[in-house]
Amino acid sequence: MIITDDSGYGVPSTFGGVIPTPALDRVAQAGLRYTNFHSTALSSPTRAALITGRNHHSVGFGVISEQATGFPGYNSFIEKDTATLGKILKDNGYSTSWFGKNHNTPSFQASEAGPFDQWPIGMGFDYFYGFMGGDTNQWEPANLARNTTYIYPFVGNPGYNLTTAMADEAIDYMQRINALDPELPFLVYYAPGGVHAPHHPTPEWVKKISDPHLFDPGWNKLRETIFANQKKLGVIPADAKLTPWPKDLLKEWDQLTPDEKKLFIRQADVFAAYVAYTDHEIGRVIQAVEDLGKLDNTLIIYINGDNGTSSEGTLTGTPNEVAMFNGVELPVEAQLKYFYDAWGTNRTYNHMAVPWAWAFDTPFSWTKQIVSHLGGVRQPMAISWPKGIKDAGGIRHQFHHVIDIVPTILEASGVAQPEVVDGIKQRPIEGVSMAYTFNTGNANAPSSRKTQYFEMMADRAIYHDGWMAGTKVLRAPWVHFEPKVGVLDYPWELYDLTKDWTQSEDVAAKYPEKLKEMQELFWKEAEKYQVLPLDASVVTRLITPRPSITAGRNVFTWTRPLTGTPNGDAPSVLNTSYTFKAEVEIPQSGAEGMLITQGGRFGGYGFYLLKGKPVFLWNLVDLKRIRWEGPEALSPGKHTLEFDFKYDGLGPATMAFGDMSGIGRGGTGVLKVDGKEVTTQKMVRTIPFILQWDENLDIGSDTGTPVDDGDYQVPFKFTGKINKITLTIDRPKLSPEDIKKLEQAMREKKARE
């Protein structure tokens, strides 16, 4: 069961794209291509639905785990009454494994302290090798784990890339299982990081893709090329219409300057190289199945993308995705000057510009995060099973959804959905089997799925019997804040997909009764599957309080080195005042190394000794570094080092009043040695929302990437002795006067609106 990341309908060559995907071609030629298959438009939700056979809200994943809230449809918990495919097959004699991305563990349960019932091992998979969270640095993964143990500090061999290493692991696993018991059936859930940002292909693949100059004609011509290819392949109807380019949102290629074109072509080349590289490694895993002599009786499901292509890279792209999620954009000229040659290397956490994403979702409109338009949810898929599918090279157009994969696998393998698992009564699987499509005689049979709702951050839609009604897109995915319109006031559109395959003509005004019928159906489905209450908030959910091992605590103490506390389990020093105090002993030979750090090269802080001198450094999303450094190396003996930061803003509490001015404000930092102030500096702005999420909080060394490559390289182990490190957080508190001012400002804002 293969699923790639952030890749829309027009990406792979198998479905008309210009990027070669021979592994997907191989599966399609040996089996079937599915042209009407759908995701949830976002990562964690699609994957939760994929492994459970239930709708994403039904299993607590209305959004990604980092945005979880307390409502049942959004709490990021896959409960025991919705056993995963891994658990079901394991209980029926299968060896079950999971390789690659795991974005289905609550972010506040991702540490080695557990609990582990929401990790792959706890969800029924015998073996897990992959990364915890939404993405990772493919060159230097800091959130890579085997089963329940993190692999750090990560120091790879020259040329190491996780995309290849993961394929090696999967191949080794299958060979090992086969050697031990050739009759043992297996499930391999293979979920590479490609092609989610950061786009990290090897240089060889970048050269291979860039040499043909595929993207020199630009994104508008690319759409036309893909659209023509799709018609030739028969993966869109002959009478399908290409949706119009959104001129009010995105520039056309001919409007760009030479510098813009140069940068954007580089971004597309690297993205495409990552697509081709990822597919190549998937091909190695498939070939390994054949080498074992088991390809004929292996069901291979290859889903291209867990949502449409991502437009989270801003209108001009970004060398650092962490910067984008903190609302920071870098001008084209700066990207060209500082990051062009490094694009895709370990020096970038890169993402391409929005118009490429739109083009790669051809023939549809919109992108990842959007469920009301097919660009966000229509995924290319191919399934092969030589023993069970005889219509090799066939195409299927039946409407289906990611929740239909589990029942398809169960039917093909002859395993019934269990009524009880480990003594717990199971909720019914909500998907329907697609196995009927394997029969040549059913090539044009009506779909067994008649109805499917969609919802993501209040954007919503409903499909029923060839009709699709959905809300108008009021927030572009590259905009971080919810629209000013209330969620119940979104205007709706209506499409007859039996006549309009690409959603090119809104017929809501023509069929008002049909639209009303569809809207009523949506609300019934929303109530049934835990979709309510609707919530349009986006990035602000990242700083919304949630369960955590740090919840309710203001003082944190470490008395020994401790590495690998994930971002979701670490205390946050964003939008607040705080004090770090380190009590250390320096040997006669002197000392240096890391005391405490969180994040890394693309956003974070570090408190360390450099050649004996104390340093506190803030890496502001790799665009600026603010450092406080003592003038002298510490003498041998005991010392107390302090970094005290006084924040100027009122913090996240102001969000309750619709005021974001309390977020990302500046402050003053003071570095002290043995109670004596050695340097003071003002920091004008701070990181507002999130540090580099794939890295950790580390004490005594650094497990990921350096916060400053010029100062040190990992692991930078502290060579003295840490007696105690204390972090004290002083969160801003709203006074009655503050509340009155905010309430008055909110009233004035509403009056202006």
Side-chain angles (χ1 to χ4, degrees):
M1 186 166 71
I2 302 160
I3 186 166
T4 59
D5 209 321
D6 282 6
S7 185
Y9 198 79
V11 169
S13 59
T14 321
F15 284 78
V18 300
I19 306 170
T21 49
L24 185 56
D25 288 345
R26 177 180 184 176
V27 177
Q29 289 161 6
L32 303 168
R33 270 177 295 182
Y34 288 82
T35 68
N36 207 352
F37 182 78
H38 301 83
S39 68
T40 71
L42 203 60
S43 172
S44 298
T46 291
R47 293 159 191 271
L50 175 64
I51 63 174
T52 66
R54 282 94 171 179
N55 284 302
H56 55 303
H57 296 89
S58 295
V59 288
F61 272 95
V63 286
I64 59 173
S65 54
E66 294 87 347
Q67 294 177 306
T69 64
F71 293 104
Y74 301 86
N75 62 18
S76 73
F77 279 91
I78 297 176
E79 301 289 356
K80 298 303 181 184
D81 59 356
T82 55
T84 70
L85 176 67
K87 176 62 175 172
I88 295 170
L89 291 185
K90 179 179 179 178
D91 287 353
N92 281 272
Y94 278 70
S95 172
T96 59
S97 60
W98 180 334
F99 296 90
K101 177 171 172 172
N102 168 30
H103 208 187
N104 290 118
T105 297
S107 61
F108 45 85
Q109 290 189 355
S111 79
E112 288 187 347
F116 299 115
D117 61 310
Q118 296 290 306
W119 285 51
I121 295 298
M123 290 192 283
F125 292 85
D126 293 314
Y127 185 75
F128 170 64
Y129 176 88
F131 57 93
M132 303 287 286
D135 60 37
T136 194
N137 185 327
Q138 300 292 313
W139 298 110
E140 300 168 274
N143 52 348
L144 184 64
R146 178 177 280 109
N147 296 327
T148 58
T149 303
Y150 282 103
I151 303 168
Y152 47 58
F154 183 81
V155 181
N157 299 319
Y160 172 95
N161 190 292
L162 179 58
T163 308
T164 295
M166 197 179 90
D168 291 342
E169 285 278 339
I171 293 167
D172 178 72
Y173 172 84
M174 290 189 294
Q175 290 173 342
R176 185 166 66 250
I177 293 298
N178 187 68
L180 293 171
D181 185 356
E183 300 303 314
L184 183 65
F186 61 80
L187 165 69
V188 171
Y189 173 32
Y190 194 80
V195 286
H196 195 291
H199 301 155
H200 280 170
T202 62
E204 296 80 9
W205 281 99
V206 175
K207 178 171 174 47
K208 187 179 294 187
I209 291 299
S210 60
D211 280 353
H213 301 284
L214 295 172
F215 304 105
D216 286 13
W219 42 61
N220 298 104
K221 292 292 185 183
L222 176 63
R223 290 186 88 221
E224 295 172 6
T225 298
I226 294 172
F227 187 62
N229 290 344
Q230 289 169 336
K231 288 198 172 183
K232 289 177 185 176
L233 290 173
V235 295
I236 66 174
D239 61 352
K241 296 179 180 178
L242 180 61
T243 52
W245 184 256
K247 295 181 180 180
D248 55 330
L249 293 174
L250 307 176
K251 287 183 178 180
E252 293 189 330
W253 188 256
D254 290 344
Q255 295 176 292
L256 303 179
T257 66
D259 277 354
E260 288 174 324
K261 290 179 180 179
K262 179 181 178 181
L263 175 65
F264 297 151
I265 289 169
R266 175 68 171 172
Q267 294 174 359
D269 280 343
V270 171
F271 169 80
Y274 196 22
V275 172
Y277 174 38
T278 300
D279 179 83
H280 172 78
E281 296 300 326
I282 290 170
R284 290 179 57 228
V285 176
I286 295 171
Q287 182 60 42
V289 178
E290 182 175 29
D291 293 343
L292 294 174
K294 295 188 173 183
L295 191 62
D296 280 354
N297 198 31
T298 298
L299 181 68
I300 297 180
I301 299 172
Y302 186 157
I303 304 168
N304 180 87
D306 54 359
N307 41 244
T309 315
S310 173
S311 60
E312 295 164 350
T314 81
L315 294 172
T316 57
T318 179
N320 182 4
E321 187 190 21
V322 183
M324 183 280 302
F325 274 105
N326 284 291
V328 178
E329 296 187 28
L330 197 62
V332 168
E333 54 270 23
Q335 293 190 53
L336 279 173
K337 183 176 180 180
Y338 298 111
F339 298 101
Y340 180 85
D341 291 330
W343 205 268
T345 71
N346 66 340
R347 298 296 165 172
T348 61
Y349 216 84
N350 51 306
H351 199 313
M352 65 188 175
V354 172
W356 287 126
W358 197 290
F360 282 122
D361 288 341
T362 299
F364 309 112
S365 61
W366 290 100
T367 62
K368 175 184 178 182
Q369 294 191 26
I370 301 301
V371 298
S372 56
H373 291 72
L374 294 172
V377 297
R378 183 69 61 85
Q379 309 301 145
M381 179 178 67
I383 299 179
S384 69
W385 178 24
K387 187 175 179 180
I389 299 174
K390 301 305 179 185
D391 187 17
I395 297 178
R396 298 293 185 264
H397 302 295
Q398 290 89 349
F399 181 98
H400 279 286
H401 188 269
V402 68
I403 61 174
D404 299 333
I405 294 299
V406 166
T408 303
I409 292 174
L410 295 183
E411 181 176 347
S413 59
V415 174
Q417 186 206 347
E419 295 183 5
V420 176
V421 173
D422 293 342
I424 299 172
K425 182 176 174 57
Q426 297 293 291
R427 283 191 274 156
I429 285 176
E430 293 158 4
V432 298
S433 174
M434 301 169 58
Y436 71 96
T437 65
F438 296 173
N439 189 324
T440 305
N442 287 335
N444 298 309
S447 174
S448 59
R449 170 157 298 288
K450 304 299 181 185
T451 304
Q452 180 61 47
Y453 83 90
F454 298 86
E455 191 277 340
M456 190 57 58
M457 293 174 279
D459 184 60
R460 52 201 184 272
I462 183 78
Y463 169 88
H464 182 69
D465 272 348
W467 290 87
M468 189 166 179
T471 51
K472 183 178 177 63
V473 180
L474 298 184
R475 179 194 65 84
W478 53 94
V479 174
H480 294 317
F481 302 105
E482 60 266 28
K484 297 177 181 178
V485 177
V487 293
L488 299 181
D489 298 323
Y490 286 24
W492 283 67
E493 300 170 347
L494 179 67
Y495 298 93
D496 181 357
L497 299 184
T498 64
K499 300 175 181 175
D500 177 20
W501 202 78
T502 62
Q503 280 185 309
S504 62
E505 182 185 0
D506 175 15
V507 294
K510 190 175 180 180
Y511 300 106
E513 291 303 314
K514 186 64 179 180
L515 176 60
K516 182 180 178 182
E517 172 193 325
M518 296 286 283
Q519 289 171 316
E520 291 173 352
L521 180 58
F522 171 82
W523 291 114
K524 289 179 182 177
E525 297 292 290
E527 184 175 3
K528 184 189 304 182
Y529 296 117
Q530 300 188 154
V531 178
L532 306 177
L534 296 177
D535 183 353
S537 63
V538 188
V539 73
T540 51
R541 293 197 213 194
L542 295 174
I543 53 176
T544 299
R546 59 178 54 83
S548 170
I549 57 177
T550 66
R553 297 167 61 191
N554 295 320
V555 179
F556 302 84
T557 303
W558 299 271
T559 56
R560 58 180 295 277
L562 176 69
T563 56
T565 302
N567 194 56
D569 290 292
S572 174
V573 296
L574 301 183
N575 306 301
T576 189
S577 298
Y578 54 88
T579 300
F580 286 99
K581 180 184 286 188
E583 299 174 33
V584 300
E585 290 186 39
I586 307 300
Q588 287 296 323
S589 57
E592 71 172 3
M594 183 59 66
L595 299 173
I596 183 169
T597 181
Q598 186 180 357
R601 180 178 296 137
F602 304 103
Y605 64 82
F607 194 7
Y608 49 94
L609 295 190
L610 182 65
K611 296 179 180 178
K613 297 179 181 180
V615 175
F616 195 96
L617 183 141
W618 262 107
N619 176 329
L620 301 181
V621 296
D622 199 30
L623 300 179
K624 190 173 185 179
R625 287 166 175 77
I626 310 293
R627 65 190 293 127
W628 294 257
E629 182 171 353
E632 298 177 356
L634 298 182
S635 61
K638 293 184 178 181
H639 293 278
T640 299
L641 311 177
E642 292 182 67
F643 180 76
D644 181 71
F645 187 79
K646 291 291 186 291
Y647 183 63
D648 291 339
L650 291 174
T654 63
M655 293 191 304
F657 300 90
D659 187 333
M660 298 301 296
S661 64
I663 306 298
R665 298 289 292 273
T668 301
V670 179
L671 180 63
K672 300 178 183 178
V673 176
D674 298 325
K676 180 183 177 182
E677 180 180 320
V678 295
T679 184
T680 301
Q681 186 175 180
K682 171 83 174 176
M683 186 156 61
V684 178
R685 300 289 293 177
T686 58
I687 294 176
F689 294 117
I690 192 168
L691 302 183
Q692 186 178 348
W693 46 78
D694 67 319
E695 299 222 14
N696 307 306
L697 174 74
D698 296 321
I699 312 295
S701 62
D702 192 342
T703 63
T705 58
V707 290
D708 191 324
D709 288 274
D711 279 359
Y712 68 93
Q713 294 301 304
V714 299
F716 200 43
K717 185 177 180 180
F718 182 58
T719 55
K721 181 184 177 184
I722 294 174
N723 290 325
K724 183 192 289 187
I725 294 179
T726 304
L727 166 61
T728 304
I729 298 175
D730 183 16
R731 295 181 178 87
K733 300 174 182 63
L734 297 182
S735 67
E737 291 74 20
D738 292 329
I739 293 173
K740 287 180 182 179
K741 290 178 182 178
L742 287 166
E743 287 176 337
Q744 178 61 31
M746 187 166 62
R747 285 192 293 268
E748 292 174 356
K749 182 180 179 182
K750 285 185 176 179
R752 289 194 302 272
E753 291 173 356

